[in-house]
Amino acid sequence: MKKIFIIMLFWYLPFFAQNEKKIKVSFVAKIENRNSDTLMIFDIKDKIVSKMIIKNGVFQDSFETIETIHSFFDGKEMSFFFLKEGSDIELKMDAKNIWETIEYSGKASEESNYLTQRSILDQKMQSPLNELIEKDEKDFEISLDKIKKDQFAALEGKGFSEKLVELVKAKIKSDLNLLEIQYKNKKAIANLNGTPSPSFDYENHKGGKTSLESLKGKYVYIDVWATWCGPCRAEIPYLKKTEEAYHGKNIEFVSISIDRMKDHDKWKNFVTENELGGIQLFADNDWNSQFVKDYQINGIPIFILVGPKGEIVNADAPRPSSHNLVETIDSLLK
């Protein structure tokens, strides 16, 4: 992340030191079907440590940073990798099929390949985690503890940097703590069903603003998402198909981005480049938008179904990739 599990696309860690020793590293990237002639490298605090311009078909730079998790961004795609003393890494990938092709080689590249595989695993874990959220409290706690032990065990005996192990374990704990919070919130959210829906009046990608009141008389399926959210993006193909299947029917599909204002242009470009359908809106204050707070949303994506009179049909509706969504909509539109 519905759902209610968010796979963060950033690693915020409060114990991250500001004055760690600088290291010298080398990085080369060979990207087929690249999205840009510029490749940006960020450290764990979202600081740019390198800005590479394509030359002779490759991105290449040697630069100073600190031993930690980094990310690259090619204008559209991003992923995590790890840099430590002596890192001399070569990245190869096809930007049109990043998760099938991304691979790191060279000195000290083992941690980077692990992070890639972990990202893929995180995406595959979405369905099991969605099922986990439906368990009773006792089974939920047992399952949560098993996930933590299994993921910790997967880090042992690999010879990884102690810093990487420290960071990943901290993220695992953070993700599972968040899941536990969202589990409790899910129980509370169920009490919203049948009550009047909180409203919105947000910027429309096509121009002007759109409010929930302007859609009265129709069912409204709302997707709360962000461009940085991997699980959100994974639902897009399914959402597109669902929109097409119900085109012209008494239901509107509304996607509300909670990207930060500084990423407004990124959102606009993402919607255009990916030909997103339905009604595409941009919330006025990301996580602090009143609509988001009223629905007690602290994990995305989440999907909401509102009735023709503005009543909440389901504050935690089935996601587009679930066959339950079609069954739900069909039962309402019959």
Side-chain angles (χ1 to χ4, degrees):
M1 297 139 47
K2 193 173 168 176
K3 187 144 242 172
I4 287 211
F5 181 70
I6 182 173
I7 306 243
M8 297 182 203
L9 291 185
F10 47 84
W11 299 67
Y12 173 72
L13 296 164
F15 56 81
F16 179 75
Q18 297 289 335
N19 57 351
E20 293 195 31
K21 177 185 174 182
K22 291 286 186 178
I23 59 172
K24 186 80 171 180
V25 299
S26 296
F27 188 89
V28 177
K30 298 178 180 178
I31 303 176
E32 296 181 29
N33 300 306
R34 65 182 184 274
N35 294 300
S36 171
D37 288 339
T38 303
L39 186 69
M40 309 283 281
I41 304 295
F42 299 86
D43 67 16
I44 201 169
K45 296 293 286 185
D46 210 23
K47 174 185 175 183
I48 298 174
V49 295
S50 178
K51 184 177 181 180
M52 307 177 203
I53 307 299
I54 193 77
K55 185 176 181 181
N56 298 323
V58 300
F59 298 97
Q60 185 169 5
D61 192 18
S62 294
F63 53 92
E64 284 192 340
T65 184
I66 60 174
E67 181 178 345
T68 191
I69 292 170
H70 292 68
S71 62
F72 69 76
F73 180 65
D74 75 340
K76 183 177 180 181
E77 300 292 350
M78 63 87 64
S79 185
F80 292 107
F81 62 97
F82 191 83
L83 293 176
K84 62 183 180 181
E85 187 68 57
S87 289
D88 186 0
I89 291 179
E90 179 177 313
L91 160 68
K92 290 183 180 179
M93 74 174 196
D94 183 339
K96 285 188 176 180
N97 195 12
I98 176 173
W99 298 114
E100 297 290 333
T101 61
I102 186 169
E103 182 180 0
Y104 296 91
S105 60
K107 189 176 179 182
S109 60
E110 296 83 4
E111 286 88 349
S112 296
N113 283 315
Y114 165 79
L115 288 177
T116 297
Q117 292 305 311
R118 178 171 175 80
S119 295
I120 295 172
L121 177 62
D122 279 346
Q123 295 182 49
K124 290 181 178 179
M125 278 291 291
Q126 279 312 123
S127 291
L129 288 170
N130 293 333
E131 295 171 3
L132 175 63
I133 210 76
E134 302 295 338
K135 293 178 177 284
D136 62 37
E137 189 168 357
K138 182 178 180 181
D139 287 343
F140 175 80
E141 294 293 342
I142 292 173
S143 298
L144 211 61
D145 186 58
K146 184 177 186 305
I147 290 173
K148 179 180 176 180
K149 289 179 179 178
D150 289 347
Q151 294 199 7
F152 274 26
L155 283 166
E156 305 299 333
K158 303 292 194 307
F160 292 149
S161 158
E162 290 183 5
K163 172 61 72 173
L164 176 77
V165 173
E166 178 185 25
L167 293 172
V168 173
K169 284 187 174 181
K171 183 176 187 293
I172 290 170
K173 290 179 181 178
S174 175
D175 285 348
L176 295 182
N177 285 341
L178 180 58
L179 182 60
E180 187 168 16
I181 291 170
Q182 292 171 336
Y183 176 82
K184 294 176 181 177
N185 285 347
K186 182 181 176 69
K187 303 302 181 184
I189 286 172
N191 295 326
L192 295 174
N193 294 343
T195 65
S197 173
S199 188
F200 57 76
D201 189 18
Y202 294 146
E203 175 190 349
N204 191 314
H205 187 269
K206 293 182 178 179
K209 299 176 75 174
T210 298
S211 67
L212 180 60
E213 286 74 15
S214 69
L215 304 174
K216 276 194 174 180
K218 293 185 176 183
Y219 286 96
V220 183
Y221 183 72
I222 302 170
D223 168 19
V224 182
W225 73 295
T227 58
W228 49 259
C229 169
C232 302
R233 293 166 61 165
E235 291 292 335
I236 289 175
Y238 301 100
L239 181 57
K240 281 185 172 182
K241 290 180 180 178
T242 306
E243 291 169 350
E244 292 170 1
Y246 291 97
H247 182 72
K249 301 292 180 66
N250 193 41
I251 184 169
E252 294 283 357
F253 293 86
V254 177
S255 295
I256 299 177
S257 165
I258 59 170
D259 278 285
R260 291 172 293 180
M261 190 56 68
K262 75 180 186 68
D263 292 323
H264 179 269
D265 289 344
K266 179 182 176 183
W267 163 74
K268 292 204 74 170
N269 293 333
F270 187 94
V271 171
T272 300
E273 292 171 3
N274 290 278
E275 301 179 337
L276 302 190
I279 299 172
Q280 297 291 330
L281 306 181
F282 193 85
D284 56 5
N285 195 17
D286 53 78
W287 289 101
N288 293 309
S289 302
Q290 195 59 49
F291 180 81
V292 174
K293 292 197 291 187
D294 287 344
Y295 266 102
Q296 305 172 47
I297 297 171
N298 56 21
I300 57 173
I302 188 166
F303 300 91
I304 301 163
L305 191 56
V306 177
K309 297 180 181 180
E311 76 282 8
I312 300 173
V313 175
N314 192 337
D316 186 25
R319 61 193 183 281
S321 58
S322 168
H323 67 275
N324 292 333
L325 178 60
V326 172
E327 294 176 359
T328 300
I329 294 177
D330 284 346
S331 69
L332 294 171
L333 298 182
K334 64 181 181 181

